[in-house]
């Protein structure tokens, strides 16, 4: 199954993707939140994400009421929980200790998308890539689980990084001309060796095996084009799930 | 950014080095006492260090070692130089500690983990990375590892992450131990684990880990008596 994806379409005001939004328990970027919230057909908080949402939307909280807040509720404060409950947001307690709040929140979202027969192009997640290192890795694990939960792309955005796990079927064609792309990109074989073929990168892979300890593609970038020309799509084929990561330009500044 | 809450570390450190732009952060954070914090060398391709900072440390006698190899990261190259100096000076060293490398650009975090993999064939010394309230260390697939976790600086979480491939793992001393189970992304990754509970006042038992492939250990660091992260 070949996939076409414009990873940063979701942050583009003129973008056409229909998305659903999951907020994770990390400080929220106000600009990202505003643009994603406006586009999202469904919006959810995983547990303590609600605390961050409550804080950052002070003064306009009624415009940022999630459809539901899910999790084991060990992070959300009593005050924030009561606030959103009073506003009619659903609180869905998910006590399964073997799955993270993120995975459980995603499962609920997929169920609602199916039940409401929503036409969705991608699930976008804010947060999950900073803070405790184990929780960053747990976010990557959720992306792996997501491969068997849905065919939809699941993207994670935090700071100036986006990550997305490419499934090992067919080839992926990533459009990178939104103007929001930063200068770097990367292919990371997090779960195991990936035999990889790419085009559109400065340093392409030609049936090479990406593997920790041997070859990991970091600080890669896009194939140079003549000034004024659009970038070519990045195409990736892999025989195992392979993590794509790229930089996001912020405020015209991508010095990170 | 570097946290100098670990200043005590400075007094036990035999060699200190900056990888490229780390020198900018060092220069900033040691304002007022820069002479006490002069690295032995600064290495890298020098595309991040500012001209001002570079000149400052050069004037102070710090060595600037330009390493142009584009296939290796600044971290890997800096580590290679350090290991060479340890050997040349026949220093008795227990561990290499790295500050930074776990935050910022996601690909650079992963590149830090890749450097830890390379380090397994570069040295027998443990190479630790610390940033924020996280420590990571790659456990090699030979013998078993016994991790003492009673310094009082341990946070409440720990984790075993099979970055790079499946790891058949046995542990003791964790709340959720592994008993010859395979850790693998998509199947089982041990995150938000913690230490085996002990009676109040008793020291924690060591965490022991045996693995058949390199396995990333990660744990929380208590900061200022606060480990609410």
């Amino acid at each position: 199954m070949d996939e076409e994806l414009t990873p940063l379409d979701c942050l583009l005001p003129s973008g056409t993707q229909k998305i659903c939004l999951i907020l994770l328990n990390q400080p929220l970027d106000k600009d990202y939140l505003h643009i994603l919230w406006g586009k999202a057909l469904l919006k959810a908080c995983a547990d303590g994400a609600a605390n961050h949402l409550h804080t950052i939307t002070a003064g306009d909280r009624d415009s940022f009421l999630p459809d539901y807040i899910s999790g084991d509720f060990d992070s959300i404060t009593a005050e924030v929980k009561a606030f959103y409950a009073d506003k009619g947001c659903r609180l869905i307690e998910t006590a399964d200790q073997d799955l993270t709040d993120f995975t459980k929140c995603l499962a609920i979202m997929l169920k609602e998308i199916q039940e409401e027969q929503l036409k969705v192009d991608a699930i976008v997640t804010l947060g999950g890539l900073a803070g405790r290192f184990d929780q960053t890795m747990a976010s990557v694990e959720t992306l792996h689980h997501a491969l068997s939960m849905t065919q939809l792309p699941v993207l994670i955005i935090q700071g100036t990084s986006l990550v997305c796990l490419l499934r090992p079927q067919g080839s992926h064609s990533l459009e990178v001309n939104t103007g929001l792309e930063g200068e770097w990109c990367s292919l990371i074989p997090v779960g195991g060796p990936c035999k990889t073929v790419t085009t559109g990168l400065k340093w392409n892979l030609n049936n090479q095996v990406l593997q920790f300890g041997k070859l990991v593609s970091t600080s890669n970038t896009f194939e140079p084009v003549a000034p004024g020309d659009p970038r070519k799509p990045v195409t990736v084929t892999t025989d195992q799930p392979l993590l794509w990561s790229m930089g996001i330009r912020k405020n015209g500044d991508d010095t990170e």
Side-chain angles (χ1 to χ4, degrees), chain A:
Chain A
M1 186 200 81
D2 290 346
E3 175 190 45
E4 279 182 12
L5 179 67
T6 308
L8 288 170
D9 180 286
C10 59
L11 291 180
L12 200 56
S14 57
T16 57
Q17 266 177 10
K18 299 272 185 289
I19 64 161
C20 291
L21 180 63
I22 293 177
L23 303 182
L24 297 183
N25 192 6
Q26 279 291 309
L28 291 169
D29 181 292
K30 209 168 191 176
D31 295 332
Y32 292 163
L33 177 68
H34 282 223
I35 195 159
L36 292 169
W37 196 274
K39 296 179 180 213
L41 303 178
L42 286 175
K43 306 109 174 171
C45 292
D47 203 348
N51 300 332
H52 293 287
L53 181 66
H54 188 262
T55 301
I56 207 174
T57 57
D60 194 19
R61 289 192 177 116
D62 282 4
S63 303
F64 293 92
L65 300 176
D67 293 284
Y68 66 92
I69 301 168
S70 68
D72 37 33
F73 295 138
D74 58 3
S75 299
I76 193 171
T77 67
E79 177 201 355
V80 167
K81 193 173 170 189
F83 174 85
Y84 287 112
D86 286 349
K87 294 285 183 177
C89 304
R90 280 172 291 146
L91 300 178
I92 306 177
E93 193 161 354
T94 51
D96 187 340
Q97 283 311 312
D98 283 344
L99 298 175
T100 62
D101 287 339
F102 180 15
T103 304
K104 291 179 287 188
C105 190
L106 176 62
I108 294 166
M109 183 156 280
L110 294 171
K111 186 156 161 281
E112 304 220 343
I113 288 170
Q114 195 181 37
E115 284 172 356
E116 297 177 44
Q117 298 199 1
L118 298 174
K119 291 247 170 285
V120 177
D121 299 306
I123 314 271
V124 180
T125 313
L126 268 190
L129 302 180
R132 276 172 44 171
F133 185 79
D134 69 328
Q135 291 182 340
T136 299
M137 293 294 99
S139 300
V140 172
E141 173 65 349
T142 296
L143 294 185
H144 281 77
H145 285 301
L147 292 183
S148 54
M149 293 163 71
T150 178
Q151 289 296 318
L152 291 174
V154 181
L155 314 178
I156 308 179
I157 288 171
Q158 184 163 10
T160 57
S161 298
L162 173 148
V163 310
C164 176
L165 188 62
L166 304 177
R167 59 184 75 233
Q169 292 110 17
S171 80
H172 304 269
S173 178
L174 307 174
E175 282 292 330
V176 290
N177 280 304
T178 62
L180 296 175
E181 290 75 19
E183 290 305 314
W184 62 270
C185 58
S186 176
L187 287 164
I188 306 151
V190 177
C194 298
K195 197 168 185 189
T196 312
V197 181
T198 70
T199 67
L201 297 175
K202 182 165 181 183
W203 292 284
N204 282 306
L205 295 148
N206 188 6
N207 257 323
Q208 286 154 278
V209 175
L210 290 173
Q211 183 175 13
F212 271 91
K214 296 198 169 59
L215 181 64
V216 178
S217 179
T218 60
S219 292
N220 206 332
T221 188
F222 305 107
E223 184 183 319
V225 291
D229 280 5
R231 291 189 177 121
K232 296 178 185 175
V234 172
T235 70
V236 184
T237 313
T238 172
D239 68 343
Q240 293 295 331
L242 179 58
L243 200 66
W244 164 259
S245 184
M246 64 193 291
I248 306 169
R249 185 182 294 261
K250 285 195 83 175
N251 305 323
D253 163 46
D254 67 339
T255 51
E256 185 166 10

